[in-house]
Amino acid sequence: MNNINKLIFIAATSGILLGLIIKFFPNLFFVDYLLTATDLLGKIFIKSLKMILVPLVFFSIIVGVSNLGRGKNSSVIWKSTFLYFVTTMSIAITLALVVMNIIQPGIGLSIDSWQSANIGISNTMTIPEFFKQFLLSLFENPFHSLASGKILPLIVFSIIIGIALNDKQDKFMAAKNIFTSLYEVMLKIVHWLMLFAPLGVFALLVNMIVSQDTELFSQLGIFIFTVIFLIMFHGLVILPTILYILTKISPMYLWKEGRPAFITAFATSSSAATLPITLSIANDNFKTNKGVSNFVLPLGATMNMDGTALYEAAAALFIANLVGMDLTLAQQLILFLTAMVASIGAPGIPSAGMVTMAMVLQVLGLPLEALAILLPMDRLIDTFRTTINVEGDLVGALIINKISKS
Ligand code: ASP
């Protein structure tokens, strides 16, 4: 994956350079052919992302939810773990929404080469009307949702299947194994897509630069800086404060003892790859009850992603600013929920958040072409996201450990 990230970086730089050359010498003989080819390649890349998105999220959520009942965890552990995951992810998303609404990077630019999808959510709806419409839209014939790419009703259906599979009947085992195996197949396809990503990013960037002015890049800089600052704030202030209030464990102790896990997360950009280290730190350094850590940490590595949730909310607002779409309160509520679902649905592997980012953009009717400017800097931001994701899991295990003892 490291090599792919390097390739994406090289592809992005060459795409920008070539775009600039074409911008300054638009009459070169190859320009027309080249732009037709890059347009085609960019479109294929975006369409293949759309292709994998729905099945990936569908199987990932079924597998995640169907594993919830694993082990003999008392309902206190179960419920408090869930409450903790949802609360901390909500805080992370709220932080992103509030600060991004104040700073508004990208506002005033209008990227006209991106086509907005049909916006499913009207921007004139009142809040009660919005909730009514929203709730009604969650229940649909799953085959219809699959075919039309409607993600939210599909997620509801996958959660229901996952809950049903928690009932450990023998006759359900075959279904569970099939879903798990299909999920692995989807991960494999995502891996292939990442191999294609450098070419896709190159093509999309050439086309974007040809039709854009360079003001975009200074706005991108402000966005990257804001996101990294927010992720650090969540990890250095919010999570340690919650931990201290609930367990009296000091932030210094958390960072000192948890350091190997945080550094591994930073270096690998994968909560899943870091999991063995997070587990051994929870058990050996913090002496948590193994029943608690074996339940909270693996679940957290696939479902609890504060950094990813924060990033996805912030990035969607940035893209909305870039295309001149003013998201209403109702649309920001949708964004809140979708960012949460997207981060729960993202597997704990590098750049997984980028694939589910496509889902957030799609639900809000924002252009998927925007991924071309998010992907090149993803390696950098993913390191921070993953570190905070892992910190959130460890803090969760320590809090649930304390709660389960009292
Ligand atoms: N790389 C992240 C993780 O493993 C997921 C993401 O892409 O945000 O936690």
Side-chain angles (χ1 to χ4, degrees):
M1 196 47 84
N2 250 337
N3 274 341
I4 296 186
N5 281 312
K6 259 189 223 142
L7 279 178
I8 290 185
F9 184 76
I10 295 169
T13 323
S14 349
I16 292 171
L17 275 177
L18 188 60
L20 288 173
I21 293 174
I22 295 177
K23 214 173 158 73
F24 291 113
F25 305 100
N27 297 325
L28 288 174
F29 71 97
F30 59 84
V31 166
D32 281 351
Y33 297 111
L34 188 87
L35 288 183
T36 313
T38 49
D39 185 46
L40 177 69
L41 266 177
K43 285 192 171 128
I44 294 180
F45 178 54
I46 297 294
K47 290 197 96 172
S48 41
L49 276 176
K50 281 190 180 171
M51 174 185 78
I52 192 65
L53 175 65
V54 172
L56 174 75
V57 174
F58 183 63
F59 292 121
S60 155
I61 292 188
I62 294 182
V63 172
V65 177
S66 70
N67 283 331
L68 283 181
R70 212 172 30 183
K72 297 184 186 60
N73 301 292
S74 72
S75 78
V76 177
I77 297 184
W78 228 94
K79 286 178 191 153
S80 21
T81 304
F82 233 79
L83 187 67
Y84 168 81
F85 285 177
V86 172
T87 311
T88 49
M89 281 195 279
S90 303
I91 295 175
I93 298 174
T94 311
L95 191 66
L97 292 182
V98 171
V99 175
M100 288 293 291
N101 270 300
I102 298 172
I103 299 184
Q104 299 195 319
I107 203 103
L109 286 178
S110 167
I111 303 203
D112 30 28
S113 59
W114 292 346
Q115 300 158 2
S116 282
N118 276 341
I119 299 163
I121 316 143
S122 148
N123 35 19
T124 52
M125 243 185 238
T126 62
I127 298 284
E129 258 179 83
F130 155 74
F131 268 110
K132 188 177 151 205
Q133 289 300 331
F134 178 70
L135 285 176
L136 284 176
S137 71
L138 293 183
F139 302 93
E140 275 222 23
N141 173 348
F143 295 99
H144 180 252
S145 332
L146 265 174
S148 52
K150 286 194 181 153
I151 291 177
L152 291 179
L154 203 65
I155 285 171
V156 171
F157 188 63
S158 50
I159 293 176
I160 296 173
I161 298 182
I163 294 175
L165 290 177
N166 267 295
D167 188 341
K168 292 188 200 63
Q169 296 191 31
D170 284 346
K171 58 184 173 192
F172 288 177
M173 280 320 285
K176 201 172 158 185
N177 290 339
I178 288 176
F179 284 128
T180 311
S181 158
L182 283 171
Y183 172 58
E184 293 295 333
V185 174
M186 296 308 135
L187 289 185
K188 179 92 200 159
I189 300 177
V190 168
H191 176 73
W192 287 338
L193 262 180
M194 291 315 285
L195 298 178
F196 178 41
L199 209 55
V201 166
F202 170 80
L204 287 166
L205 282 179
V206 171
N207 278 27
M208 195 183 73
I209 297 293
V210 170
S211 51
Q212 276 318 301
D213 60 57
T214 37
E215 168 64 9
L216 172 66
F217 293 97
S218 64
Q219 295 297 324
L220 193 60
I222 300 177
F223 168 68
I224 297 176
F225 182 78
T226 312
V227 166
I228 293 181
F229 174 79
L230 288 178
I231 293 179
M232 305 262 288
F233 183 76
H234 190 77
L236 294 177
V237 179
I238 303 219
L239 287 175
T241 308
I242 299 177
L243 179 69
Y244 184 73
I245 294 174
L246 295 178
T247 66
K248 295 283 170 291
I249 294 178
S250 78
M252 283 306 164
Y253 190 66
L254 169 72
W255 293 322
K256 186 166 155 275
E257 298 299 322
R259 196 164 49 204
F262 304 151
I263 293 176
T264 312
F266 191 84
T268 60
S269 288
S270 166
S271 311
T274 311
L275 182 60
I277 298 183
T278 327
L279 271 169
S280 84
I281 279 176
N283 296 337
D284 302 339
N285 300 11
F286 291 97
K287 307 276 177 260
T288 46
N289 175 323
K290 286 211 170 75
V292 171
S293 50
N294 286 345
F295 175 70
V296 179
L297 292 174
L299 198 63
T302 39
M303 299 187 100
N304 180 43
M305 302 206 174
D306 294 4
T308 308
L310 189 156
Y311 171 74
E312 303 216 353
L317 275 187
F318 176 57
I319 301 301
N321 288 344
L322 286 184
V323 293
M325 188 171 144
D326 194 10
L327 296 184
T328 60
L329 189 60
Q331 286 168 319
Q332 297 209 19
L333 275 172
I334 294 267
L335 173 55
F336 181 97
L337 295 172
T338 328
M340 169 114 40
V341 174
S343 53
I344 291 176
I349 56 173
S351 287
M354 259 303 110
V355 181
T356 56
M357 184 72 226
M359 164 180 137
V360 178
L361 296 176
Q362 179 144 325
V363 168
L364 288 165
L366 291 166
L368 262 68
E369 282 87 343
L371 289 174
I373 57 165
L374 298 179
L375 261 172
M377 57 178 183
D378 199 54
R379 181 74 187 96
L380 171 70
I381 296 186
D382 199 8
T383 53
F384 290 93
R385 280 201 310 255
T386 312
T387 311
I388 295 322
N389 289 346
V390 169
E391 183 188 355
D393 299 340
L394 187 60
V395 167
L398 299 177
I399 291 175
I400 310 302
N401 188 46
K402 170 89 180 178
I403 293 175
S404 69
K405 275 194 206 147
S406 51

